[in-house]
Amino acid sequence: MWQKLREHIFTALVARTDIDFIALEKGEMTSRKAVDMLMQTMEEYANWGFHFMEDKLTDDPNYFFRETAFLEVFMAFDTSIDDSGEEDDEPESLD
């Protein structure tokens, strides 16, 4: 289970990092540069997560001890669901 989770996290990290894979394949970009870019993206997301958790704990020290806390966090990231709990059928813009 943990291996699959790691694979999904790494896939998401690669997807969110602006690496020119064609330049990497041609040797116009070094592997070291690609790794540095991945590490930078990972640090940005990790730091954002730590700040997010710190803010939640500052507001309510027991926030993450609630049974539904993590579900609420994940649901907050889903922009396709509005405040009433209804899903937005409008497709995401590709621009």
Side-chain angles (χ1 to χ4, degrees):
M1 177 175 99
W2 291 109
Q3 179 63 27
K4 279 291 184 195
L5 181 58
R6 280 188 224 133
E7 289 174 15
H8 292 301
I9 290 171
F10 184 74
T11 301
L13 180 64
V14 170
R16 297 300 295 175
T17 305
D18 191 23
I19 297 174
D20 184 349
F21 289 101
I22 295 172
L24 185 61
E25 177 92 13
K26 290 181 177 180
E28 298 169 357
M29 176 185 204
T30 65
S31 296
R32 179 74 236 170
K33 175 71 174 169
V35 169
D36 288 344
M37 292 172 72
L38 286 168
M39 288 174 58
Q40 180 180 349
T41 301
M42 183 173 58
E43 287 174 4
E44 289 170 0
Y45 276 94
N47 288 336
W48 179 89
F50 291 136
H51 291 299
F52 177 84
M53 290 176 67
E54 183 180 43
D55 290 345
K56 288 290 186 190
L57 291 172
T58 298
D59 293 342
D60 178 3
N62 295 317
Y63 181 84
F64 290 105
F65 290 104
R66 293 193 348 245
E67 203 170 297
T68 60
F70 287 100
L71 176 61
E72 291 171 14
V73 169
F74 291 124
M75 295 299 287
F77 295 134
D78 187 353
T79 59
S80 68
I81 299 176
D82 65 21
D83 292 336
S84 68
E86 297 290 321
E87 286 196 35
D88 180 12
D89 292 334
E90 181 91 18
E92 183 177 322
S93 172
L94 297 177
D95 294 331

